[in-house]
Amino acid sequence: MSGQNGILVKVKDVEKTFRRGSEEIHVLSGLNLEVAEGEFLALMGPSGSGKTTLLNLIGGLDRPTSGSLEVSGERIDQMSGRQLAEWRARHVGFVFQFYNLLPVLTAERNVELPLLLTHLTKAQRRRHVHTALEVVGLSHRARHYPHTLSGGEQQRVGIARAIVTDPTMILADEPTGDLDRKSGDEILSLLQALNREHGKTIIMVTHDPHASARATRTVHLDKGQLSMEAPA
Amino acid sequence: MINWLVQIFSLTLFNLRTIPERKGAAVAAAVGIAGVVAVLVGVLSIAEGFRAAMTATGADDIVIVLRSNADNEMTSILSREEARLVTNAPGIAWSAAGPLASAELFVIINLPKRSTGTDAHVPLRGVQQAARAVRGDITISQGRMFEPGRNEVIVGAGTARAFAGLDVGGTIRVGQSDWAVVGIFSGGGGAAESEIWTDAAVLQPAYHRGDSFQSVFVKLASPEKFKEFKDALTANPQLKVKAVRQADLLADQSSMLTTFIETFGFAIAGLMALGALFGALNTMYSAVAARTREIATLRALGFGASPIICSVLFESLVLALVGGAVGATAAYFAFNGFQAATINWQTFSQVAFAFRVSPRLLANAILWAAVIGLIGGLFPAIRAARLPVATALRET
Ligand SMILES: Nc1ncnc2c1ncn2[C@@H]1O[C@H](COP(=O)(O)OP(=O)(O)OP(=O)(O)O)[C@@H](O)[C@H]1O
Ligand SMILES: [Mg+2]
């Protein structure tokens, strides 16, 4: 929505080092980033630059080697694994490049999964699932299994799963990376609508300038640091 | 979250539904466990059947009186006077024909087995009129009872099955003379069924036993009379005998063999279980590996580590129980009632018995399956939960 919103994500002096045998890989070194509420941020950069790593840190899937991560006032870098899991369930909706749907569950069951971690009743869950599928335009495919859906449709199920708990933010790692141009555009339009009409904060990793053009802001990651920020 | 159980439930359901995708490994694990259980049940059913054969007639109110320094009938000897005194002791049940007591002796004879044609030992027991009433459940299933004073025998059903020529109308050669088989008797699958019976008064001269016996079988008026009966024998200075409940004596006699069979059975089952354990481990590891990304996705969505551990364990348990049930059922149909004979090492005579797959045994086997399943699932489950989510998500 508008820029007067507060800061939602505060990444401060974050370093991330991976160890592979005796070798240390410095992926992020002293990285700073702030994301405002209601932003649709595109994260670009060459392969291996650490985009996924950064997104995982913001989403509480991994912890930084040093530095701090604050999301709506909470220091997620200081949470235990258990606290992080609960925090993810409440605040983050993930969208994956390869959808990561569970093949043995129908679309609606896949969308329902995150709701199993809430206190909602069965009827309430069904209502939420229905709404989410409606938002992504897939109500008519609710009973379908993932393998009977096209890539674009599967990704829409993935997005429905990400929004069904009404999370604080949506994190998408190359959500169109596995799709053809047309399906990719539809997904991008959907994300854009979620951002504009529902006020969702979205952080999206992408290689595609086409995709980043839909965002409200684009940042580039290179050699472990944000080398350039450009308003959309 | 409080919905921990919901998590476990839905994850387990999800795991179980993915089993068809891994049919091969799942079936292999279940079959491995089925094999262990079948062998375990098979071997132990031998011990169980043997024990049952030895103790089935071992009622609490039947007492065997032996010479006080004898461990079993073989090594016992009682004079006619001693036998008479025992027969008149208090506590014994009475019928119209007198006290329910039978002074008996037995010899071991050789007869060819039906299966191999080779000779094996069979006890030939000389009994008195009250013998059937003392045992209580002896019935003549074919032919008739032997007549007192004649060279006639009746044959226990187990012995008749195992040895050649023991049909009604047949004859057996004992000592110098031929004895006619006039009947087949059964007695609840007990030790008596593995014997041949004749009149004690005929057997004594045939084997030059004079008028001595080896034991007196007594039926008490009630099981509680045992102490009274026993004390009366001990108090009599003319008697050097001891009274043993039949059940105790038979359990004692069978304990060596059943212990041996059980030890043997558990050793084999233990080795096989080790194999099945690796099968189960392998299955569950590959199940976890195949679902690395799915498990990581669930964890990314906020599912906890312990529900994932529980669900993997539960899946392994289910596979093991299915395997165990199949193995136990197979063993039941293959072994239950299977007829066999073996040597009672205390009396060196043949004991006929049927393999017995008892409920206790089945419960035991299912327990084994469950333990194998739980151990087999534990390490893969911990691995699944320990997998760093970010790393696991990279695996495609
Ligand atoms: N768990 C890990 N262990 C070791 N090295 C890792 C791990 N995760 C990431 N890396 C390394 O960190 C670097 C950055 O990886 P990352 O996946 O963040 O890059 P990316 O910008 O998302 O690349 P791409 O555009 O190809 O997805 C790479 O060199 C990668 O090999
Ligand atoms: Mg990446």
Side-chain angles (χ1 to χ4, degrees):
Chain A
M1 298 200 143
S2 71
Q4 78 195 126
N5 284 321
I7 299 301
L8 184 68
V9 181
K10 220 180 248 177
V11 180
K12 221 176 150 211
D13 301 327
V14 159
E15 310 228 345
K16 182 66 186 177
T17 307
F18 288 110
R19 201 172 264 288
R20 202 180 282 150
S22 57
E23 192 191 354
E24 281 197 342
I25 308 159
H26 301 280
V27 180
L28 304 177
S29 36
L31 187 137
N32 289 286
L33 172 68
E34 290 188 349
V35 182
E37 236 177 281
E39 254 194 299
F40 181 176
L41 181 75
L43 189 54
M44 295 187 74
S47 193
S49 58
K51 304 182 296 293
T52 299
T53 304
L54 177 57
L55 200 69
N56 286 347
L57 290 176
I58 296 173
L61 292 175
D62 207 351
R63 288 202 195 78
T65 312
S66 69
S68 69
L69 283 141
E70 208 175 295
V71 179
S72 48
E74 287 186 276
R75 283 286 296 274
I76 62 169
D77 57 294
Q78 292 176 340
M79 289 184 183
S80 70
R82 206 195 155 104
Q83 288 172 319
L84 268 181
E86 291 181 14
W87 177 83
R88 285 196 300 269
R90 261 182 300 132
H91 294 288
V92 189
F94 288 99
V95 179
F96 304 93
Q97 179 177 356
F98 300 105
Y99 333 126
N100 289 21
L101 302 177
L102 303 192
V104 290
L105 303 181
T106 59
E108 59 181 2
R109 291 279 174 212
N110 265 291
V111 175
E112 190 187 1
L113 272 176
L115 295 179
L116 297 177
L117 301 170
T118 66
H119 295 278
L120 298 180
T121 64
K122 208 168 177 170
Q124 289 171 316
R125 291 206 300 263
R126 197 172 312 137
R127 245 194 334 273
H128 280 70
V129 169
H130 185 77
T131 308
L133 282 173
E134 200 139 84
V135 167
V136 301
L138 267 190
S139 306
H140 59 299
R141 293 276 191 269
R143 298 279 161 82
H144 285 235
Y145 286 91
H147 66 91
T148 66
L149 299 174
S150 73
E153 287 173 325
Q154 290 189 52
Q155 192 58 296
R156 287 201 238 171
V157 176
I159 291 172
R161 181 179 65 188
I163 60 173
V164 74
T165 53
D166 193 20
T168 311
M169 58 186 176
I170 295 172
L171 303 184
D173 195 349
E174 302 190 39
T176 59
D178 200 45
L179 299 174
D180 58 54
R181 161 108 303 146
K182 185 169 164 292
S183 310
D185 278 345
E186 284 168 12
I187 293 298
L188 289 169
S189 300
L190 180 55
L191 288 173
Q192 209 168 15
L194 285 171
N195 173 249
R196 285 188 183 156
E197 290 156 33
H198 300 266
K200 287 285 158 214
T201 306
I202 302 175
I203 304 176
M204 173 180 73
V205 168
T206 183
H207 275 298
D208 182 5
H210 227 83
S212 66
R214 305 290 196 107
T216 54
R217 182 162 67 114
T218 302
V219 294
H220 289 263
L221 193 60
D222 201 5
K223 300 199 177 72
Q225 303 202 302
L226 293 176
S227 62
M228 177 188 95
E229 296 196 17
Chain B
M1 306 251 162
I2 311 167
N3 290 357
W4 199 72
L5 282 176
V6 179
Q7 286 194 47
I8 293 177
F9 178 76
S10 46
L11 286 180
T12 304
L13 211 65
F14 158 63
N15 283 350
L16 294 180
R17 291 180 63 166
T18 61
I19 285 181
E21 292 173 9
R22 315 171 259 118
K23 268 193 252 47
V27 167
V31 165
I33 291 168
V36 174
V37 166
V39 167
L40 182 72
V41 170
V43 175
L44 294 187
S45 73
I46 300 175
E48 198 84 355
F50 185 69
R51 199 200 334 261
M54 293 300 283
T55 55
T57 52
D60 265 359
D61 56 355
I62 297 178
V63 175
I64 302 170
V65 180
L66 303 172
R67 173 141 237 94
S68 53
N69 57 4
D71 291 332
N72 52 52
E73 286 186 88
M74 292 279 285
T75 52
S76 172
I77 184 158
L78 300 174
S79 70
R80 190 166 63 151
E81 177 58 11
E82 286 172 317
R84 192 189 62 79
L85 288 170
V86 170
T87 305
N88 289 317
I92 298 178
W94 279 65
S95 72
L100 293 187
S102 162
E104 305 184 353
L105 70 159
F106 82 77
V107 299
I108 301 291
I109 61 174
N110 278 323
L111 287 174
K113 297 189 76 169
R114 275 194 210 275
S115 53
T116 57
T118 53
D119 279 4
H121 294 316
V122 190
L124 171 59
R125 179 182 292 276
V127 302
Q128 295 182 326
Q129 281 301 304
R132 277 178 71 188
V134 168
R135 265 80 167 187
D137 62 346
I138 302 284
T139 54
I140 305 288
S141 54
Q142 275 178 58
R144 58 173 173 80
M145 184 64 182
F146 62 79
E147 276 183 28
R150 301 180 62 162
N151 283 9
E152 289 180 353
V153 299
I154 57 173
V155 179
T159 305
R161 270 195 302 272
F163 290 89
L166 296 184
D167 305 304
V168 174
T171 56
I172 53 174
R173 189 156 185 88
V174 178
Q176 319 301 328
S177 44
D178 285 334
W179 300 53
V181 178
V182 298
I184 307 287
F185 70 90
S186 49
E193 277 197 6
S194 298
E195 298 176 340
I196 301 177
W197 283 11
T198 186
D199 184 3
V202 178
L203 192 59
Q204 279 170 333
Y207 273 80
H208 312 292
R209 294 287 180 92
D211 57 2
S212 74
F213 297 93
Q214 282 166 290
S215 58
V216 180
F217 276 66
V218 159
K219 186 174 185 76
L220 298 176
S222 73
E224 294 73 47
K225 296 278 189 194
F226 180 63
K227 192 172 171 358
E228 182 188 346
F229 176 70
K230 187 180 169 131
D231 289 348
L233 298 188
T234 314
N236 189 335
Q238 286 175 274
L239 289 173
K240 284 197 179 59
V241 299
K242 64 175 178 189
V244 194
R245 280 199 173 93
Q246 188 190 27
D248 296 341
L249 188 73
L250 293 176
D252 204 40
Q253 284 188 4
S254 64
S255 69
M256 192 170 114
L257 190 60
T258 49
T259 306
F260 171 74
I261 296 173
E262 275 173 355
T263 311
F264 183 68
F266 277 112
I268 292 182
L271 283 177
M272 288 190 63
L274 215 60
L277 189 64
F278 282 110
L281 269 173
N282 197 31
T283 306
M284 295 315 294
Y285 265 126
S286 57
V288 166
R291 279 177 291 164
T292 300
R293 199 159 64 107
E294 288 162 17
I295 291 173
T297 304
L298 288 166
R299 302 220 34 209
L301 297 181
F303 282 85
S306 50
I308 288 175
I309 291 185
C310 289
S311 66
V312 172
L313 274 183
F314 198 84
E315 173 184 348
S316 178
L317 189 64
V318 167
L319 279 181
L321 288 180
V322 169
V326 168
T329 310
Y332 180 84
F333 285 110
F335 299 121
N336 196 37
F338 182 79
Q339 294 296 336
T342 188
I343 290 173
N344 174 352
W345 293 99
Q346 261 90 4
T347 59
F348 296 101
S349 55
Q350 288 278 327
V351 176
F353 67 97
F355 285 30
R356 176 177 289 213
V357 181
S358 64
R360 187 182 73 108
L361 230 179
L362 289 177
N364 224 322
I366 297 295
L367 197 72
W368 269 65
V371 168
I372 293 173
L374 281 181
I375 298 176
L378 186 63
F379 298 104
I382 291 174
R383 189 188 129 88
R386 281 248 183 99
L387 226 51
V389 184
T391 315
L393 278 173
R394 286 176 182 276
E395 296 184 21
T396 46

